[in-house]
Amino acid sequence: MLQPPDRVLVAVSGGKDSLACWDLLRALGFEADGMVLGLGIGEYSEESTRYATAFAAARGWPLHVVDLRTRFGFDVPGAAAATRRAPCGACGLAKRHLFNAVAIEEGYDVVATGHNLDDEAAVLLGNVLHWDEEYLARQQPVLPATEGFVRKVKPLVRLSERETAAYCVLSGIDYQVEECPMAAGNRHLAYKEALNVIERRSPGTKAAFVAGFLARGHRRFAAEAAPPDLRACPSCGAPTTASECAFCRLRARAATARG
Amino acid sequence: MLQPPDRVLVAVSGGKDSLACWDLLRALGFEADGMVLGLGIGEYSEESTRYATAFAAARGWPLHVVDLRTRFGFDVPGAAAATRRAPCGACGLAKRHLFNAVAIEEGYDVVATGHNLDDEAAVLLGNVLHWDEEYLARQQPVLPATEGFVRKVKPLVRLSERETAAYCVLSGIDYQVEECPMAAGNRHLAYKEALNVIERRSPGTKAAFVAGFLARGHRRFAAEAAPPDLRACPSCGAPTTASECAFCRLRARAATARG
């Protein structure tokens, strides 16, 4: 997953998982810096950036602060309105694109995210419920680097959200407790709730679900996944299968709607 | 799944699904007879047999009535106590064994069960949560006949449990509404509850889950499943991979505990 002298960019939200991840990687001796993305989701996003900034400042660790609105002229609520789709799609797209883009610009080898076991199990459940072959092929705690993409790792994927919360409490890490208000009622939360129903009846199911997928399920989907045919986005240079990358298309659409 | 002149044995519990299944197969012109298994679960099992018998008698359709205790000297609660395991395991084992055995003895080509979409989705979820490769390879609405096993079909697998209930109400079929008291709190019910959480948020998920598995998931597990090395059980003649079949071992264990 990680090996010195890897330079790691930690995707930081100000919540317990990403701050615990950053803290642990530093404790393990990695050169790990943070990046927080201003999503423009009102007070929630402002608070998120405040927690990340305070955490970094108290430790003297470098934090890249990128604001969607300032730098790209749109925000997540605007993108959701322009595309008339759920905000989580635009948010995830912007995060994937920009953490990777900044990692490449700033010479990091890896992007680390704080996804915990509960997140991973819920995403896996969604992918399995839809038998989404492409997503199942890509769902791994380590995605190797490919042309135009740095490596992506999820170091906390074996820890439950209670464990990362406990780690923060024990380590004196002050984190944003509030959940994103735009995520309320989204599918991912329904998957989490469903898994919690089962976990209460059969503790350990989530861990067995994710571990079993990696041991016995994943290879059955990975084998057939054809490598995509990528070209450089003419606007930003990011690899894409389309004539312009999805982030630049989103940005253009959100900007048009605004103007 | 079924083709005239197939002789069909319908596994009947007295509940809505199995009675609807039997009724529909007869309406489609199949030579379909019923079989009800007395499981010995107190008043629940007695009522179950009464509903099945009354349904068959009113229509003049043949029903095979097999009582576990009378014919094999044990019942489901006794088997559960003797094996110190959940009763649902012993119950499923006895059903699989005896519906197949009676079908062979009585010259039926197929055993049809009333599994509906909710059942199938819950079983699939359990198999996926444990990434049980063998069960995933076998989870199909049609299991072809093999040496010692008749074909198994689940004609109602696309209908939700509300739809089979509605069919019974509209067709004037009187069925047992009560659920098995020994199933209360079992895993299968937790899987159903979890799927209902998701279905409420995203209607159609169960149907897409089962259909997507058959379209895109199943083949990835079927390909590698090695055919088992079967011999005849010395006690009953049923095919088994062990020195004695699981049903005869269960019967012996339950009988010893009783004696």
Side-chain angles (χ1 to χ4, degrees):
Chain A
M1 194 175 270
L2 292 167
Q3 200 80 33
D6 280 343
R7 292 192 68 223
V8 187
L9 182 65
V10 183
V12 171
S13 70
K16 62 191 187 321
D17 303 310
S18 58
L19 293 182
C21 182
W22 193 4
D23 198 67
L24 282 160
L25 292 179
R26 280 270 171 172
L28 290 167
F30 285 100
E31 187 188 334
D33 301 338
M35 168 172 161
V36 65
L37 189 56
L39 302 163
I41 307 173
E43 172 57 27
Y44 168 77
S45 288
E46 285 161 33
E47 191 178 288
S48 165
T49 300
R50 272 202 303 276
Y51 273 99
T53 310
F55 176 88
R59 287 156 184 82
W61 299 345
L63 175 71
H64 303 271
V65 181
V66 178
D67 187 70
L68 260 190
R69 215 183 285 133
T70 317
R71 183 134 157 214
F72 300 100
F74 75 98
D75 53 27
V76 166
T83 55
R84 295 183 191 180
R85 301 192 65 166
C88 304
C91 183
L93 168 57
K95 284 173 176 169
R96 281 191 302 277
H97 179 87
L98 291 171
F99 287 124
N100 185 66
V102 169
I104 288 174
E105 275 167 36
E106 305 283 341
Y108 293 96
D109 304 294
V110 195
V111 168
T113 56
H115 293 97
N116 59 40
L117 176 61
D118 299 75
D119 297 324
E120 196 70 2
V123 169
L124 180 58
L125 179 59
N127 291 341
V128 161
L129 286 173
H130 299 97
W131 294 99
D132 191 314
E133 303 174 281
E134 240 179 86
Y135 289 172
L136 287 166
R138 284 176 54 83
Q139 187 160 3
Q140 290 177 98
V142 181
L143 269 185
T146 52
E147 184 63 35
F149 295 105
V150 300
R151 193 181 340 141
K152 308 285 186 325
V153 302
K154 305 177 196 169
L156 306 190
V157 86
R158 285 168 185 270
L159 299 182
S160 73
E161 58 187 22
R162 287 188 182 202
E163 289 171 306
T164 61
Y167 178 83
C168 287
V169 171
L170 293 171
S171 312
I173 296 173
D174 197 20
Y175 62 88
Q176 184 178 31
V177 173
E178 203 195 334
E179 300 281 346
C180 175
M182 301 202 89
N186 79 358
R187 279 189 194 173
H188 186 73
L189 291 180
Y191 300 150
K192 280 195 165 180
E193 192 188 332
L195 285 171
N196 287 339
V197 166
I198 297 168
E199 189 76 16
R200 276 194 291 273
R201 166 61 183 78
S202 307
T205 302
K206 278 183 210 178
F209 179 40
V210 171
F213 172 68
L214 296 175
R216 298 183 297 280
H218 178 262
R219 66 187 163 88
R220 296 174 186 269
F221 294 89
E224 273 184 47
D229 187 15
L230 296 171
R231 68 199 87 179
C233 171
S235 310
C236 75
T240 177
T241 53
S243 58
E244 193 177 25
C245 84
F247 178 78
C248 288
R249 279 181 285 146
L250 178 70
R251 181 186 176 180
R253 247 179 114 173
T256 311
R258 230 174 126 90
Chain B
M1 193 175 272
L2 292 168
Q3 200 79 34
D6 280 343
R7 290 192 69 223
V8 187
L9 181 66
V10 183
V12 171
S13 70
K16 63 191 189 316
D17 303 310
S18 58
L19 294 182
C21 182
W22 193 3
D23 197 68
L24 282 160
L25 291 179
R26 280 271 171 171
L28 289 168
F30 285 99
E31 188 187 335
D33 301 338
M35 168 172 161
V36 65
L37 189 56
L39 302 163
I41 307 174
E43 171 56 26
Y44 168 78
S45 288
E46 285 161 33
E47 191 179 288
S48 165
T49 300
R50 273 201 303 277
Y51 273 100
T53 310
F55 176 88
R59 287 155 184 82
W61 299 345
L63 175 70
H64 303 271
V65 181
V66 178
D67 187 70
L68 260 189
R69 215 184 286 135
T70 317
R71 184 135 157 212
F72 300 99
F74 74 98
D75 54 25
V76 165
T83 56
R84 295 182 190 181
R85 302 192 63 166
C88 304
C91 183
L93 168 58
K95 283 174 177 170
R96 280 191 302 277
H97 179 87
L98 291 171
F99 287 123
N100 185 66
V102 170
I104 288 173
E105 275 167 36
E106 304 284 340
Y108 293 96
D109 304 295
V110 196
V111 167
T113 55
H115 292 98
N116 59 40
L117 176 61
D118 299 74
D119 297 323
E120 196 70 3
V123 169
L124 180 58
L125 179 59
N127 291 341
V128 160
L129 286 173
H130 299 98
W131 293 99
D132 191 313
E133 303 175 281
E134 240 178 86
Y135 289 173
L136 287 166
R138 284 177 53 84
Q139 186 160 4
Q140 291 176 98
V142 181
L143 268 185
T146 52
E147 185 63 34
F149 294 105
V150 301
R151 194 183 337 144
K152 308 285 185 324
V153 302
K154 305 177 197 168
L156 307 190
V157 85
R158 286 168 185 271
L159 299 182
S160 74
E161 58 187 22
R162 287 188 183 204
E163 289 171 305
T164 60
Y167 178 84
C168 287
V169 171
L170 293 171
S171 311
I173 297 173
D174 197 21
Y175 63 87
Q176 184 178 31
V177 173
E178 203 194 333
E179 300 281 347
C180 175
M182 301 203 90
N186 79 358
R187 281 189 192 173
H188 186 72
L189 292 180
Y191 300 150
K192 280 195 165 180
E193 192 188 333
L195 285 170
N196 286 338
V197 166
I198 297 168
E199 189 76 15
R200 277 194 291 274
R201 166 61 184 75
S202 307
T205 302
K206 279 182 210 177
F209 179 40
V210 171
F213 172 68
L214 295 175
R216 298 183 298 281
H218 178 262
R219 65 187 164 89
R220 296 174 187 269
F221 294 90
E224 273 183 48
D229 187 13
L230 295 172
R231 68 199 87 180
C233 171
S235 310
C236 75
T240 178
T241 53
S243 58
E244 192 177 26
C245 84
F247 178 76
C248 289
R249 279 181 284 146
L250 179 69
R251 181 187 176 179
R253 246 179 116 173
T256 311
R258 230 175 127 89

